[in-house]
Amino acid sequence: MESIHELLGYKNIKIVQNSEMFCFSLDSILLADFVNPKIGCKKIIDLGCGNAPIPLFLSLKTDAEITGVEIQKEVFELAVKSVRLNGLEAQIKIINSDIKDIYLKTGANVFDIVISNPPYFKVHPESNINKNKYLTIARHEVMINLEGVVLEAKKLLKNGGSFYLVHRTERLTETVNLLTENNFGIRRMRFVYPKRENNALLFLLEAGANLKDDVKVESPLYVYEEGEYSQEVKEIFNFKKNEYH
Amino acid sequence: MESIHELLGYKNIKIVQNSEMFCFSLDSILLADFVNPKIGCKKIIDLGCGNAPIPLFLSLKTDAEITGVEIQKEVFELAVKSVRLNGLEAQIKIINSDIKDIYLKTGANVFDIVISNPPYFKVHPESNINKNKYLTIARHEVMINLEGVVLEAKKLLKNGGSFYLVHRTERLTETVNLLTENNFGIRRMRFVYPKRENNALLFLLEAGANLKDDVKVESPLYVYEEGEYSQEVKEIFNFKKNEYH
């Protein structure tokens, strides 16, 4: 069923969801919060944008042109509706396309920032694939795998541009190795813990294209504290954490 | 000046220090706490053991035979004194030797666990090397670098044995790459934050020799909370955290 959710705080951003098809995840919001567009940032692209939570969130903290790429027609349509609903057509453009070779449509080495909340799970013969086609493509590496996403990010970014990624901690070693092989230097990482006493489930990462590695591991992010969303997550949702323009 | 410190809790372990030469660091104690000798663990080696805080701490939680290797004669002598002072000569053996090719003395592929708190800093022409010779060798990669330590660990470990390391976060990418290249699979990581709101300064890591990667990132470790040692660090020092035999 299609419905409209208020995505975030004070600018009253709305997002079109479909509970049978695609709802945005907390992970996307945490990644969008982690993204830090510098002064002079002109072009941003989100690879696998779903119903566009990341582009919508980012419109609150940058004037850069934001492109979202979504392979699934019906999910792409949700994204387009959301952009229109918020009157953000001038800033956000959604493309219905495979991520692979997207640079042929957008241009290579033109983006300041590439973002991806990619499919998390490898596909094995015994994979427990979602029966829902939309979730299968969003969550499992059936259309593109992590290496594919890194390779496309490399093609899209300007020299020194930033690649932002959220992924599951069990893919950490593979991610670090792929970034090194493709000449990315890791700048920032942040681990996301469901609760203080849990193992981390996710990591957020910023890597620079053709830059030397200089890792900073930022303070941990807890999702829940004392049985409810942590103060930090509440602030991210209400978008009161920073003074954005 | 040489002095005797009470290292840790209930078994009343003592350690001989020399404030002009070598004092054990918190890092070593956090690493020793992170080490988890499994049932059946027979042989452990600590590469660059300093005045032996890690072997001494580990004697409280394992009956395995523990070897410490220390290249600096005077620091080696402190370690030997500490082992004697605690009457642990039957369990802990200290060797005065370079780490490089230590397997020629101990045997290759015989250890269940290899531990190292290695020199943290690369040596550059402009390095701010400690004037104190003992600290220079302990902290800077003048005698061996990280790759050297990983290569020796690989030679020393049994198949599936564990390599434990503490290092600074800015060396994280390099560490992950070196472990992958040498066929280690990362099992556990833990980041150490001076305070809740700081970036992590160190990571603790366990990797398995010739094992598939399966990373768990454990809950963050804070050193200070509210202006004093955190409860966890106090418990590690007092050695009350777990019920060891």
Side-chain angles (χ1 to χ4, degrees):
Chain A
M1 221 187 73
E2 210 164 292
S3 61
I4 295 171
H5 285 248
E6 301 228 340
L7 177 57
L8 293 161
Y10 74 99
K11 276 208 184 174
N12 205 20
I13 293 278
K14 290 176 171 56
I15 188 161
V16 184
Q17 308 259 49
N18 184 320
S19 57
E20 286 138 38
M21 190 158 51
F22 196 91
C23 295
F24 72 90
S25 69
L26 175 65
D27 310 2
S28 290
I29 302 303
L30 298 182
L31 180 59
D33 175 70
F34 185 71
V35 172
N36 181 20
K38 304 227 164 49
I39 292 167
C41 173
K42 295 238 172 355
K43 285 167 79 74
I44 298 176
I45 189 164
D46 179 13
L47 302 179
C49 69
N51 59 346
I54 293 174
L56 292 168
F57 188 114
L58 285 180
S59 73
L60 296 173
K61 54 175 172 174
T62 179
D63 295 325
E65 182 191 309
I66 305 170
T67 304
V69 183
E70 177 52 50
I71 193 169
Q72 304 196 69
K73 190 78 192 311
E74 298 83 351
V75 180
F76 156 81
E77 282 164 1
L78 290 179
V80 169
K81 276 188 202 172
S82 290
V83 172
R84 278 203 205 118
L85 187 65
N86 293 285
L88 287 165
E89 301 95 319
Q91 188 180 9
I92 302 176
K93 191 170 76 177
I94 311 290
I95 306 178
N96 182 210
S97 168
D98 198 342
I99 295 170
K100 198 158 164 35
D101 292 335
I102 187 69
Y103 74 97
L104 295 174
K105 294 179 188 167
T106 61
N109 306 118
V110 294
F111 289 95
D112 302 286
I113 290 178
V114 173
I115 306 171
S116 189
N117 176 357
Y120 286 156
F121 301 103
K122 292 189 191 239
V123 181
H124 303 289
E126 68 279 18
S127 279
N128 186 10
I129 300 271
N130 295 79
K131 286 193 184 121
N132 176 327
K133 166 186 100 161
Y134 304 104
L135 290 181
T136 298
I137 290 175
R139 295 193 185 157
H140 296 265
E141 294 182 326
V142 288
M143 302 301 292
I144 195 161
N145 65 14
L146 180 57
E147 182 169 18
V149 174
V150 172
L151 290 173
E152 297 308 319
K154 187 182 174 177
K155 290 176 203 161
L156 293 163
L157 281 170
K158 291 181 189 168
N159 241 347
S162 281
F163 176 42
Y164 284 94
L165 184 76
V166 57
H167 218 303
R168 288 174 64 94
T169 48
E170 67 258 32
R171 304 290 295 269
L172 178 63
T173 304
E174 185 188 352
T175 304
V176 172
N177 291 332
L178 280 170
L179 290 172
T180 305
E181 284 163 22
N182 288 288
N183 213 21
F184 282 97
I186 301 177
R187 287 169 163 162
R188 298 163 57 216
M189 299 188 69
R190 198 170 184 204
F191 290 89
V192 181
Y193 299 80
K195 296 177 196 166
R196 168 78 173 90
E197 64 275 19
N198 292 152
N199 292 344
L201 190 63
L202 304 171
F203 61 88
L204 305 163
L205 183 147
E206 177 186 355
N210 303 313
L211 270 201
K212 263 193 68 170
D213 195 81
D214 183 23
V215 189
K216 307 247 178 309
V217 176
E218 300 183 350
S219 63
L221 199 163
Y222 303 132
V223 176
Y224 294 98
E225 269 175 339
E226 294 166 22
E228 53 178 323
Y229 276 136
S230 67
Q231 192 56 32
E232 178 165 12
V233 166
K234 284 183 200 165
E235 285 172 4
I236 290 170
F237 270 103
N238 288 303
F239 207 72
K240 288 173 188 158
K241 204 172 69 167
N242 297 309
E243 291 290 323
Y244 296 113
H245 55 271
Chain B
M1 218 188 72
E2 208 163 296
S3 62
I4 295 171
H5 286 247
E6 301 230 339
L7 177 58
L8 293 160
Y10 73 102
K11 275 207 183 174
N12 205 20
I13 292 278
K14 291 176 170 59
I15 188 162
V16 184
Q17 309 260 50
N18 183 320
S19 56
E20 287 138 39
M21 187 157 52
F22 195 90
C23 295
F24 72 91
S25 69
L26 176 64
D27 310 2
S28 289
I29 302 304
L30 298 182
L31 179 60
D33 176 70
F34 184 73
V35 172
N36 181 19
K38 305 228 163 46
I39 293 167
C41 172
K42 294 235 171 5
K43 284 167 80 76
I44 298 176
I45 189 164
D46 179 12
L47 303 180
C49 70
N51 59 345
I54 294 175
L56 292 168
F57 187 114
L58 286 180
S59 73
L60 296 173
K61 54 175 171 173
T62 179
D63 295 325
E65 182 191 309
I66 306 169
T67 305
V69 183
E70 176 52 50
I71 194 170
Q72 303 196 69
K73 189 78 192 311
E74 298 83 351
V75 181
F76 155 81
E77 282 165 3
L78 289 180
V80 170
K81 277 188 202 170
S82 291
V83 172
R84 278 201 206 120
L85 188 65
N86 293 284
L88 287 165
E89 301 96 318
Q91 188 180 8
I92 302 176
K93 190 171 76 176
I94 310 292
I95 306 178
N96 180 211
S97 168
D98 198 342
I99 294 169
K100 199 158 162 33
D101 292 335
I102 187 71
Y103 74 97
L104 296 173
K105 294 179 187 165
T106 61
N109 306 118
V110 294
F111 289 95
D112 302 286
I113 290 177
V114 173
I115 305 171
S116 189
N117 176 358
Y120 286 155
F121 302 103
K122 292 192 192 236
V123 181
H124 302 289
E126 68 279 21
S127 278
N128 187 9
I129 299 272
N130 296 78
K131 287 196 183 120
N132 176 327
K133 163 185 104 162
Y134 305 105
L135 290 180
T136 297
I137 290 176
R139 295 194 185 158
H140 297 265
E141 294 182 323
V142 286
M143 301 301 293
I144 196 160
N145 65 13
L146 180 56
E147 182 169 18
V149 174
V150 171
L151 289 173
E152 297 308 318
K154 187 181 174 179
K155 291 178 201 158
L156 293 163
L157 281 170
K158 291 182 189 168
N159 241 345
S162 281
F163 175 43
Y164 284 94
L165 185 74
V166 57
H167 218 303
R168 288 173 65 95
T169 49
E170 67 258 31
R171 305 289 296 269
L172 178 63
T173 304
E174 183 188 353
T175 304
V176 172
N177 291 336
L178 281 171
L179 290 172
T180 305
E181 283 163 23
N182 287 289
N183 213 23
F184 281 96
I186 301 178
R187 287 168 162 161
R188 299 163 58 216
M189 297 188 71
R190 197 170 185 204
F191 290 90
V192 181
Y193 299 79
K195 296 178 195 166
R196 168 78 173 89
E197 64 274 19
N198 292 152
N199 292 344
L201 188 65
L202 304 171
F203 61 88
L204 305 162
L205 184 148
E206 177 185 355
N210 303 312
L211 271 201
K212 263 193 66 169
D213 195 79
D214 183 23
V215 190
K216 307 246 178 311
V217 176
E218 300 183 350
S219 63
L221 200 163
Y222 304 133
V223 177
Y224 294 97
E225 271 176 338
E226 295 165 22
E228 53 177 324
Y229 275 136
S230 67
Q231 191 57 31
E232 179 166 9
V233 166
K234 285 184 201 166
E235 285 172 3
I236 290 171
F237 270 104
N238 287 304
F239 208 71
K240 286 172 188 158
K241 202 172 70 166
N242 298 306
E243 291 290 324
Y244 297 113
H245 55 270

